Amino acid sequence: MGTQKRRGMRYMESLRNLVKRALVRAGLRSAESQRRAAVDELDARAAYRLWAPTYSAETAISFLDDELAREMLSGLPCTRLLDAGCGTGRRIADIPGAMGMDLSPEMLAAGGARNVVVGDVRAIPFEPERFDMVWCRLVLGHLPDPLPAYRELARVCAPGGYVLVTDFHPDAVAAGNRRTFTDPAGAVHEIEHH
């Protein structure tokens, strides 16, 4: 077996272990118990407005996304970073020069960050080629057509820059998992996902 293949197998095994730890840490319910739970589906704007007061609590998905991004982006330049769909802005809080943008003013207010603006990932309110790193993490699955968003991410990224897009994996959907959250009153809601 070649070195590259062994490295790939070790990487996949470390990802599997990371997923297992995250699920245990988050106390994630099984797909079967999620299917049985009665939930209402909300569009992304309504969902994040309702979720904003309790959003800062870590979820298994955000934990995994952070771990994956940390590993993938290690050593890449991010002196001019945009977090498109930043939520509360927690990911960019300690990154000098970073900007955040989110559709939900409630999410931005909940985070209290100063380096954020309200905006739609399909019409990013920044000039072309402004950023050397653009993140759009756990956002595009909320859009029925992600192509306009991909165009905008490319437009604001400088030549030679990097764009990182992550989202809820189709295998998770096929296994019955859903993008859900519990509001401050304890009700479970499902967020529109395409």
Side-chain angles (χ1 to χ4, degrees):
M1 180 181 311
T3 303
Q4 189 71 10
K5 187 172 183 176
R6 280 193 302 276
R7 187 177 304 139
M9 290 174 64
R10 283 194 306 269
Y11 178 73
M12 292 306 295
E13 183 61 28
S14 70
L15 283 178
R16 276 193 280 287
N17 289 333
L18 180 65
V19 168
K20 288 176 188 175
R21 286 193 312 272
L23 294 176
V24 168
R25 179 177 173 193
L28 190 67
R29 296 174 296 165
S30 70
E32 181 60 33
S33 68
Q34 285 186 17
R35 279 192 286 277
R36 288 189 304 246
V39 298
D40 62 323
E41 184 178 75
L42 301 172
D43 67 52
R45 182 169 239 159
Y48 286 100
R49 178 176 35 252
L50 190 57
W51 195 2
T54 58
Y55 184 81
S56 63
E58 177 123 351
T59 67
I61 299 303
S62 65
F63 172 79
L64 291 172
D65 182 70
D66 287 344
E67 291 296 311
L68 179 64
R70 187 177 358 273
E71 186 169 323
M72 291 180 68
L73 301 175
S74 178
L76 295 179
C78 63
T79 55
R80 297 175 299 141
L81 167 70
L82 172 64
D83 187 350
C86 69
T88 61
R90 69 177 174 79
R91 291 185 188 118
I92 59 169
D94 298 325
I95 302 175
M99 290 294 301
M101 180 200 77
D102 199 89
L103 185 62
S104 171
E106 294 85 3
M107 290 292 283
L108 295 174
R114 295 182 209 195
N115 54 336
V116 296
V117 298
V118 175
D120 190 319
V121 72
R122 295 165 292 191
I124 297 174
F126 294 107
E127 65 273 4
E129 302 178 2
R130 176 164 177 187
F131 302 98
D132 59 10
M133 175 69 72
V134 179
W135 293 342
C136 188
R137 297 166 56 187
L138 303 174
V139 173
L140 295 188
H142 295 310
L143 304 175
D145 179 11
L147 186 56
Y150 278 111
R151 285 186 181 126
E152 281 293 282
L153 298 172
R155 182 185 67 78
V156 298
C157 189
Y162 299 88
V163 175
L164 173 72
V165 176
T166 65
D167 216 305
F168 203 66
H169 198 279
D171 287 349
V173 175
N177 294 296
R178 299 176 294 177
R179 293 180 80 161
T180 62
F181 71 97
T182 304
D183 70 22
V188 177
H189 304 276
E190 182 175 355
I191 306 170
E192 171 187 32
H193 186 77
H194 301 277

